[in-house]
Amino acid sequence: MARFRRKSFSTFICLVLLIFIVTVVLKSFTPEYSPFGSIFGLELFPNIKGPGKNDIQMLSNIDSVVAEALTKMNDIDPERVKNVEAALRQFPAPNYNIHAFYYTWYGNTQFDGKYIHWDHPLLPHWDSKVAAGYPRGRHSPPDDIGANFYPALGAYSSRDPSVIEAHMKQLRAGAIGVLAVSWYPPGMKDENGEPTDDIVPLILEVAHAYHVKVAFHIEPYKGRDEISMFNNVKYIIEKYGEHPAFYRHRTNTGKFLPLFYVYDSYLLNSEQWAKLLKHTKSSSIRDTHYDGIFIALLVEEKHKRDIVTAGFDGVYTYFATNGFSYGSTQRNWESIKTFCEDNNLLFIPSVGPGYIDTSIRPWNFQNTRNRINGKYYEMALSAALEAGADIISITSFNEWHEGTQIEMAIPKTSQTVYLDYLPHKPVVYLEVTRKWAAIFSNERKRWLE
C-alpha cells in the first residue's frame, strides 16, 4: 500500500510538471502584445478611468518619442503605455497614400458636460408634405444615438485621450497612414456641434506616437472665401506645421507641402479661388511659406473645368454612395483619372464601406448602400486601384451619422434597432483596409518601375 501511494504521488508530480512545461511552451508562441489577440481581434478598448500623471513614471523604458507624447495625455493607463512600443512592431507599416476622413465633433457627459452629435436631431425633408410623414425630434444617448450602427467605444467624446489612442490603434491596424481631420477655424463649428480646433494638439501628439500623420479637411463655414482661406492656411501652418505628425506630401518637383482637402469647394467661384491658388495673381499663396497642395471636391462633371481654372492641385470625390454624384460614380473614375493626368492634378477617389443615414434623415432610403458583408467596400477599393488612384481616401473612419464608418462597431440591444458587422468581427473593415493598403502599395511600386 505504501509503494502504491509513493507511485501515485510520483505520477501526480510528473503530471503537474508536464502541464507546467506545456503552458510555458504555448505562452512562448504568443507575443507580449498582439494587435490581433483580444476578443475582437484588437486590443483597442480604452480603460476610461486610467491613472493620472504621477503613474506615468513607468514610461522610462519606452521609446522617448512615444513616452513624451503619451505623458502629455492625462489619465492614460500605464498598462497600455507599456505595450505601445510592442504594438508598433505588431501593426502593419502605415501606408501614407491611404487617407481616412476623421471627425472630432462627438461629445459626452463625462468629458463635455453633455452629449454632442450623438443626440443629433432628425432632419426634416425639404418638401413639407413628405416631411409630415416622418418623425421629428432628437436622439437620446447613450442607448439611442444618431447612427444606424453602434460604436464599440460607446457614445464617446472626441476629447477623451483614451478614445484618441484607441482610434490610432485602429488606424494602424488598418495600415492607414494619414487621418484627414474635419476642421473649422477657432471658435467656429458645425450647426450641431461645438468648436473643435482645440482638440488638434492632442490628436497630433497621439498620432505621432503611433506614426500616423494628420492632414486637414477644411469645412465650408459661413463666410469662407479666398481671403479667409489664406488666413486659415496661415493659422494651420504656423500653429501645427512644425509638428512631426503634420502631413506633408511630396510633389513632382520634390517639395514636401501640406495637403488640404477643401470640402464643398465649388461653393466659391473659380475666379475667387484663382486669386489664392494661381501663380499669376498678386494675392497668390503660391511659392510662399504657406503654399500647399489644395484638393477640390469634384461633385458634378462641369466642376472639372472650374477646378483647373481655380488652380487646384487635385480632386477628391468624398461621397461613399456609388452613383450619388458624377464624382462618386465609380464607372467615371477612369475618365476622371485621364482628366487629372491631362491637367497635372492628383486623383484621389474616395471609397467607403456603405452608406445609411436614416437615423438622422429617416426619409433618405434611396441613397442607402448595403455593405454586403464587406463586398461593397472591396469593390470600391478595387475600382480605385483599377482607375490608377494617386491616393485613396476613405469615407470615413468615424462619420457615424451617415453610416460610412470603418471604426469598430458592435451589436447593440436596446429599444433602438442597430445594424452591426455580423457575421464578421467588429474589426472586419480595418482588416479589409489593411489588405488593400498592401495591394495598393505593391501596385504603386509596379507603376513606378
Side-chain angles (χ1 to χ4, degrees), residues 353 370-380 429:
N370 193 297
R371 294 188 173 220
I372 325 175
N373 292 328
K375 292 180 181 178
Y376 182 89
Y377 191 33
E378 298 225 40
M379 288 188 291
Y429 293 100

Side-chain angles (χ1 to χ4, degrees), residues 140-285:
S140 181
D143 291 329
D144 172 31
I145 64 172
N148 290 79
F149 295 84
Y150 200 84
L153 297 175
Y156 59 75
S157 170
S158 296
R159 297 179 180 277
D160 182 348
S162 296
V163 167
I164 296 173
E165 186 183 8
H167 285 169
M168 297 305 162
K169 289 181 178 180
Q170 292 189 39
L171 288 163
R172 281 301 308 272
I176 297 166
V178 179
L179 68 84
V181 63
S182 171
W183 186 82
Y184 287 87
M188 292 190 174
K189 60 183 182 178
D190 71 279
E191 59 186 9
N192 294 297
E194 298 292 339
T196 58
D197 175 65
D198 60 331
I199 303 176
V200 173
L202 180 58
I203 291 173
L204 286 165
E205 292 296 337
V206 189
H208 181 48
Y210 283 89
H211 302 176
V212 173
K213 301 297 183 183
V214 179
F216 288 77
H217 190 194
I218 300 178
E219 299 285 359
Y221 56 84
K222 184 178 180 180
R224 188 180 71 179
D225 60 17
E226 72 278 15
I227 297 173
S228 68
M229 275 293 297
F230 182 95
N231 291 330
N232 296 158
V233 172
K234 182 174 182 287
Y235 170 86
I236 290 170
I237 292 176
E238 288 184 349
K239 185 163 186 177
Y240 306 124
E242 297 303 316
H243 197 284
F246 186 78
Y247 177 65
R248 294 177 183 269
H249 185 79
R250 184 174 182 174
T251 68
N252 292 334
T253 61
K255 292 182 179 180
F256 287 88
L257 296 178
L259 186 146
F260 299 98
Y261 291 96
V262 185
Y263 190 71
D264 279 358
S265 51
Y266 59 85
L267 294 177
L268 195 64
N269 66 55
S270 58
E271 289 76 17
Q272 288 177 281
W273 280 122
K275 294 177 182 177
L276 179 71
L277 302 177
K278 284 284 192 177
H279 287 84
T280 55
K281 304 297 183 179
S282 59
S283 57
S284 175
I285 204 168

